[in-house]
Amino acid sequence: MSKPLSDHDKKKQISVRGLAGVENVADLKINFNRHLHFTLVKDRNVATKRDYYFALAHTVRDHLVGRWIRTQQSYYEKDPKRVYYLSLEFYMGRTLQNTMVNLALENACDEATYQLGLDMEELQEMEEDAGLGNGGLGRLAACFLDSMASLGLAGYGYGIRYEFGIFNQKIANGWQIEEADDWLRYGNPWEKARPEYMRPVHFYGRTEHHPDGVKWVDTQVVLALPYDTPVPGYRNNVVNTMRLWSAKAPCEFNLKDFNIGGYIQAVLDRNLAENISRVLYPNDNFFEGKELRLKQEYFVVAATLQDIIRRFKASKFGSRDIVRTDFSTLPEKVAIQLNDTHPALAIPELMRVLLDDEKLSWEKAWDICVKTCAYTNHTVLPEALERWPIDLFQTLLPRHLEIIYEINRRHLERVSSLYPGDVDRLRRMSLIEEGPQKRVNMAHMCIVGSHAVNGVARIHSDILKATKIGEDFIRDLDQLQKLREFVNDEAFIRDIAKVKQENKLKFAVHLEEHYKVKINPNSMFDIQVKRIHEYKRQLLNCLHIITFYNRIKKEPNKQWTPRTVMIGGKAAPGYHTAKMIIRLITAIGEVVNNDPVVGDRLKVIFLENYRVTLAEKAIPAADLSEQISTAGTEASGTGNMKFMLNGALTIGTMDGANVEMAEEAGDNNLFIFGMRVEDVDAMDAKGYNASEYYNRLPELKQAMDQIAGGFFSPKQPDLFKDIVNMLMYHDRFKVFADYEAYIKCQEKVSALYKKPKDWTKKVILNIAGSGKFSSDRTISQYAREIWGVEPTLEKLSAPDDLK
């Protein structure tokens, strides 16, 4: 039996939120009221909930400012090697709570708002998500910034300040509808515009070759205006910077050309230049070769490299004169990490600056470039690879195309000296793909131009706070391994189950408010949340739901394990199949949820507008995490790890990071099923025949016949013909091949869920094995193995104006 908590233990338990000291609370209240009055120009009679959120945000932000200035000052003085993380996406979500946690202000703010007659949670709900990402790639970038700050690295995130982030998803009559995400409408209290660091970015034009070098002339200029957002480390007084660029037209834009239709039109046309930072492309794992997207990619890279070089040149002796002119030391002072190929133009742009502006020789410039840049690959799907048409390059970035040709010439020279006469190898490894339309292969450019290349999981590179363990685990997640000692501790098992149940009840309340469906909180919460994509196989999940539904209907008196199945995620607006998958999920829900025979033994909910903020509610409430991509298609997955850490068990294939999760927690503590990569390869070799499974497996046939026959769409029986046709005749991801194993595996899941203690023991072993998947561990490894810098857990001293 566990003994009652002593006062000391209680204090220890709440200290994760920070202490609500009396002075602290009083100060926060004073500053809250000051901001309400002076910043928002409101009094308590007319202030809205949003005003109160802004007042609180500004109050918390005040605590960041001193630390932020101090951190940047210390970098300027110590001149450490700086790490620049370049990404077209940063999926940040909300900032307020993360900031309070990292500054240990959560308890004090809670108490202050309570004393002011306000509800902290209600205020937090007013904050818009910063949805500047699509999925895993963008969320990884956000986690990485957090970890770089927590590990005391001089890290900078560089990206684009999209005026519109990932669209808001509405479900209307079962279909996905996109709405623009006007996240900046009410202003963003966390950013600070820095117009003094505005940089010009050039497009179009032509090149001139002179004896003294190459000039890129007659270009169109767009200005890059930086907005800085603080990135606080965990309780170490470090505050790093995320700098996002916004596009501005220069004052003289179009006005010097008298052939334009006059002054008014010239001013209106400024929008064209400023469209560069207007909107995030909503594609995940898919390449769309649009000119605006290439402009975005060059825009972020050109502005960022100017910043990097300005900072490299600036003296650390408090003068702004250009002191460093020897670029051979650049790789000792600068590391550039390319988050996928989207910022790949950093390679030719750095070459352009070193060759044309700094007048270095090719050999010297190339050596510096390779030593500075490193590349992370995020996907193996061929449709996701960036391959830009050469004529687009020629028009938009003529100098860069020349440089890429020269990089390729030297690269192929080296390949052919290593493999003489191997023409096929030259063709395969070239940066330029021949064919009806010549293209630049950006992945090849990244590999050739970087000193380190990594994937996001081993398979991909190769092809709780319990009082029992204290709270150091927050900084060192490996300490969760200590939980293994408590796997048979009855009280601890009860505690874990209780926390999960509380999270489920809270989420059930949220769902009932939003979906008007009565949730059985004792049912298994079976959750699949991720982008809607054929390779992620939401359709396999659908087939299990239908099969389970049919089984209940066939034997209504059997003791079935009740489930609430939740599927959520956005479909790219142009991806027809993905949108049909959503419509199928909602259609299945309409039938299942209204069938009195089934009752509360099975409910199907499509979670609308899945985003960081909804993940923060759903993941802690999950019992079962669905990670069921075809083996060899999910580079890693990141949600999978978050579910594991938060006490869900995983049903999944041996794909991506699932492989390492099984290794850390023990194979028998995950529900692994289906083909391995070798099996998929073998099936590709002999050919996949869907109808063979359809004819052999009666329950699969029944489910498919129901979808095809209009059972789920009685008003429009052929609504799902495209999905049926795809599954039967051109399914690249072999859903039927894993159906039988998946259903059998789900039976095991249901059987174990009937034994709560055994289930919870597996949960404990999963949490205990999740330490490896902390981004702190990842960033420590990047730091040592790629960037050549050493993480530190030392604190910076707090600024004088704060205790």
Side-chain angles (χ1 to χ4, degrees):
M1 281 295 294
S2 66
K3 60 184 194 323
L5 289 177
S6 67
D7 284 347
H8 170 72
D9 283 335
K10 281 181 184 153
K11 202 166 266 146
K12 229 172 117 178
Q13 264 195 312
I14 62 166
S15 63
V16 169
R17 298 172 63 96
L19 290 173
V22 181
E23 334 71 62
N24 230 346
V25 173
D27 278 349
L28 286 168
K29 285 163 70 178
I30 290 164
N31 286 319
F32 178 94
N33 286 322
R34 181 174 58 83
H35 276 297
L36 192 62
H37 188 84
F38 288 104
T39 310
L40 294 155
V41 195
K42 290 281 183 92
D43 64 30
R44 293 291 302 255
N45 300 310
V46 291
T48 63
K49 207 176 281 181
R50 179 168 287 105
D51 292 320
Y52 292 135
Y53 157 68
F54 274 106
L56 179 58
H58 279 104
T59 305
V60 170
R61 179 178 166 275
D62 288 349
H63 286 255
L64 281 170
V65 171
R67 293 174 169 94
W68 197 4
I69 291 170
R70 282 283 292 269
T71 302
Q72 300 309 313
Q73 204 178 341
S74 81
Y75 292 157
Y76 187 63
E77 286 160 7
K78 293 183 185 137
D79 195 29
K81 183 169 183 175
R82 289 168 161 89
V83 177
Y84 295 97
Y85 197 82
L86 270 64
S87 181
L88 270 280
E89 303 185 20
F90 287 97
Y91 206 169
M92 304 297 284
R94 289 175 178 165
T95 296
L96 176 59
Q97 192 179 12
N98 183 250
T99 305
M100 293 189 299
V101 167
N102 282 6
L103 297 184
L105 282 173
E106 205 178 7
N107 260 355
C109 287
D110 229 342
E111 182 60 29
T113 48
Y114 173 75
Q115 290 182 18
L116 290 163
L118 300 166
D119 179 333
M120 169 84 101
E121 249 183 62
E122 279 186 7
L123 300 191
Q124 288 176 343
E125 286 299 316
M126 297 308 298
E127 182 173 359
E128 301 274 356
D129 272 45
L132 308 185
N134 279 285
L137 175 150
R139 184 55 234 174
L140 189 81
C143 287
F144 277 10
L145 294 189
D146 185 279
S147 287
M148 285 195 281
S150 294
L151 293 167
L153 300 176
Y156 300 76
Y158 272 93
I160 294 177
R161 180 181 178 266
Y162 300 106
E163 195 177 320
F164 297 93
I166 186 67
F167 61 87
N168 284 315
Q169 178 193 58
K170 290 273 186 291
I171 303 295
N173 304 315
W175 297 95
Q176 167 177 297
I177 306 292
E178 300 87 24
E179 284 181 357
D181 167 40
D182 194 0
W183 71 292
L184 293 168
R185 180 176 41 213
Y186 299 106
N188 174 4
W190 304 106
E191 68 183 10
K192 175 72 184 83
R194 298 284 190 198
E196 67 275 23
Y197 292 119
M198 196 131 59
R199 302 275 167 241
V201 176
H202 297 260
F203 294 101
Y204 303 108
R206 55 191 176 80
T207 58
E208 290 178 352
H209 290 251
H210 301 278
D212 62 335
V214 183
K215 289 196 169 61
W216 181 17
V217 298
D218 297 340
T219 56
Q220 292 181 23
V221 175
V222 177
L223 299 176
L225 169 64
Y227 284 79
D228 288 355
T229 299
V231 179
Y234 182 74
R235 307 211 178 162
N236 60 357
N237 298 318
V238 170
V239 181
N240 284 344
T241 301
M242 174 176 69
R243 176 163 284 182
L244 301 180
W245 301 101
S246 183
K248 283 290 277 174
C251 292
E252 68 275 14
F253 186 78
N254 273 354
L255 290 175
K256 52 192 182 308
D257 306 333
F258 276 94
N259 56 349
I260 301 280
Y263 163 73
I264 296 290
Q265 194 55 46
V267 174
L268 299 184
D269 285 345
R270 294 169 58 85
N271 271 328
L272 301 174
E274 295 172 0
N275 277 339
I276 291 175
S277 56
R278 195 79 67 205
V279 59
L280 167 74
Y281 274 84
N283 301 318
D284 189 72
N285 275 293
F286 184 76
F287 170 62
E288 187 177 5
K290 294 281 191 283
E291 181 180 31
L292 180 60
R293 172 67 171 196
L294 188 57
K295 276 186 174 166
Q296 288 182 340
E297 293 184 353
Y298 181 62
F299 175 75
V300 66
V301 151
T304 301
L305 274 164
Q306 291 178 67
D307 236 19
I308 290 174
I309 283 162
R310 171 188 58 78
R311 216 175 267 127
F312 169 75
K313 285 181 171 181
S315 151
K316 60 174 179 174
F317 302 113
S319 94
R320 280 277 163 223
D321 299 338
I322 289 180
V323 171
R324 267 202 201 108
T325 48
D326 176 9
F327 276 86
S328 63
T329 62
L330 188 78
E332 295 159 34
K333 288 295 175 189
V334 170
I336 295 173
Q337 190 70 34
L338 307 174
N339 194 28
D340 215 294
T341 57
H342 313 147
L345 288 165
I347 291 166
E349 172 65 6
L350 181 53
M351 287 300 287
R352 186 192 68 76
V353 171
L354 295 176
L355 294 167
D356 300 355
D357 299 350
E358 304 296 338
K359 309 295 186 199
L360 271 63
S361 71
W362 180 279
E363 290 71 19
K364 188 81 203 135
W366 184 245
D367 181 56
I368 291 166
C369 180
V370 171
K371 284 179 175 159
T372 304
C373 295
Y375 157 62
T376 303
N377 174 278
H378 279 261
T379 183
V380 288
L381 296 185
E383 62 266 37
L385 292 176
E386 292 199 293
R387 298 149 62 243
W388 287 103
I390 268 183
D391 45 11
L392 181 55
F393 248 102
Q394 181 66 63
T395 310
L396 193 68
L397 300 167
R399 178 58 180 140
H400 297 78
L401 186 58
E402 291 178 352
I403 290 169
I404 289 165
Y405 278 143
E406 182 60 15
I407 293 172
N408 196 41
R409 186 186 70 74
R410 289 167 180 253
H411 165 59
L412 292 182
E413 216 168 69
R414 194 162 149 259
V415 173
S416 72
S417 69
L418 288 169
Y419 303 93
D422 192 341
V423 184
D424 197 50
R425 181 182 292 270
L426 285 181
R427 186 186 52 72
R428 275 203 319 273
M429 292 179 72
S430 175
L431 273 57
I432 310 294
E433 296 181 358
E434 302 297 337
Q437 194 184 32
K438 288 172 85 169
R439 293 173 175 270
V440 182
N441 183 312
M442 302 300 265
H444 289 182
M445 183 161 75
C446 285
I447 291 163
V448 171
S450 298
H451 71 278
V453 177
N454 71 293
V456 281
R458 191 178 61 219
I459 185 177
H460 172 52
S461 296
D462 304 342
I463 28 157
L464 136 235
K465 154 139 186 355
T467 43
K468 294 177 169 66
I469 64 166
E471 54 179 70
D472 287 350
F473 77 90
I474 296 173
R475 270 204 186 77
D476 177 12
L477 213 62
D478 271 332
Q479 294 194 25
L480 288 174
Q481 291 187 18
K482 296 177 189 167
L483 292 177
R484 290 199 176 104
E485 299 162 26
F486 301 102
V487 71
N488 294 311
D489 180 318
E490 299 285 336
F492 186 60
I493 292 170
R494 275 201 306 274
D495 286 345
I496 291 280
K498 181 165 170 277
V499 170
K500 178 60 71 179
Q501 198 53 37
E502 283 166 3
N503 291 337
K504 288 176 69 174
L505 283 165
K506 194 169 178 188
F507 194 47
V509 169
H510 172 84
L511 292 175
E512 285 170 22
E513 278 172 16
H514 283 77
Y515 298 100
K516 311 291 177 252
V517 177
K518 190 85 186 85
I519 306 287
N520 172 5
N522 296 315
S523 64
M524 182 199 307
F525 283 16
D526 170 348
I527 307 188
Q528 184 177 27
V529 282
K530 50 188 71 250
R531 287 298 291 255
I532 309 294
H533 203 299
E534 287 160 84
Y535 88 87
K536 294 180 184 285
R537 298 203 298 191
Q538 283 91 357
L539 287 170
L540 184 56
N541 195 344
C542 288
L543 290 173
H544 170 252
I545 296 169
I546 296 170
T547 303
F548 185 38
Y549 171 77
N550 289 333
R551 287 180 177 185
I552 295 173
K553 294 285 281 185
K554 193 175 171 191
E555 300 184 77
N557 298 321
K558 200 171 157 186
Q559 287 298 301
W560 302 101
T561 305
R563 289 195 188 217
T564 304
V565 183
M566 305 174 215
I567 304 178
K570 292 174 184 177
Y575 187 177
H576 170 73
T577 306
K579 290 188 142 178
M580 288 309 304
I581 291 170
I582 291 175
R583 186 63 192 96
L584 177 62
I585 297 163
T586 58
I588 295 168
E590 284 158 25
V591 170
V592 170
N593 298 346
N594 295 302
D595 191 322
V597 176
V598 173
D600 66 358
R601 292 180 290 186
L602 177 60
K603 292 284 184 228
V604 179
I605 295 174
F606 185 85
L607 294 174
E608 183 175 273
N609 203 32
Y610 180 62
R611 60 200 186 283
V612 174
T613 294
L614 187 53
E616 290 168 344
K617 296 178 170 76
I619 293 174
D623 291 308
L624 186 67
S625 158
E626 302 264 356
Q627 307 296 338
I628 56 180
S629 54
T630 312
T633 62
E634 188 73 90
S636 169
T638 48
N640 48 2
M641 309 165 191
K642 298 178 195 295
F643 279 102
M644 179 188 193
L645 176 62
N646 283 276
L649 298 186
T650 300
I651 184 167
T653 50
M654 274 296 195
D655 197 21
N658 297 357
V659 178
E660 286 155 87
M661 287 163 56
E663 209 169 273
E664 295 295 307
D667 285 22
N668 51 340
N669 296 312
L670 276 77
F671 297 98
I672 298 289
F673 72 92
M675 296 181 288
R676 309 305 201 248
V677 173
E678 312 77 67
D679 306 318
V680 175
D681 291 345
M683 187 171 286
D684 281 330
K686 81 169 174 58
Y688 164 66
N689 179 3
S691 51
E692 175 194 318
Y693 300 92
Y694 171 84
N695 292 319
R696 182 166 61 77
L697 304 167
E699 287 183 303
L700 173 60
K701 182 177 191 301
Q702 181 188 7
M704 287 303 296
D705 291 351
Q706 286 168 315
I707 296 170
F711 181 84
F712 298 105
S713 54
K715 292 191 181 126
Q716 208 183 325
D718 67 346
L719 181 59
F720 299 115
K721 63 174 188 300
D722 290 352
I723 284 187
V724 171
N725 187 40
M726 182 275 288
L727 285 172
M728 294 296 297
Y729 304 111
H730 43 93
D731 175 9
R732 292 169 56 201
F733 302 104
K734 310 177 178 62
V735 169
F736 292 2
D738 275 339
Y739 168 83
E740 194 175 13
Y742 180 55
I743 300 295
K744 286 205 172 93
C745 197
Q746 288 282 22
E747 291 167 11
K748 284 190 203 159
V749 173
S750 287
L752 186 69
Y753 195 74
K754 281 203 164 88
K755 304 179 193 161
K757 192 192 288 188
D758 293 347
W759 179 278
T760 305
K761 284 183 179 187
K762 286 196 191 290
V763 165
I764 291 167
L765 292 170
N766 270 269
I767 297 170
S770 63
K772 175 181 180 178
F773 306 106
S774 165
S775 56
D776 292 351
R777 193 271 312 160
T778 316
I779 288 296
S780 296
Q781 207 178 333
Y782 274 58
R784 297 186 175 115
E785 297 177 20
I786 300 174
W787 304 328
V789 288
E790 193 55 37
T792 171
L793 290 176
E794 269 176 56
K795 275 185 167 186
L796 280 185
S797 57
D800 304 329
D801 58 337
L802 296 164
K803 305 293 174 287

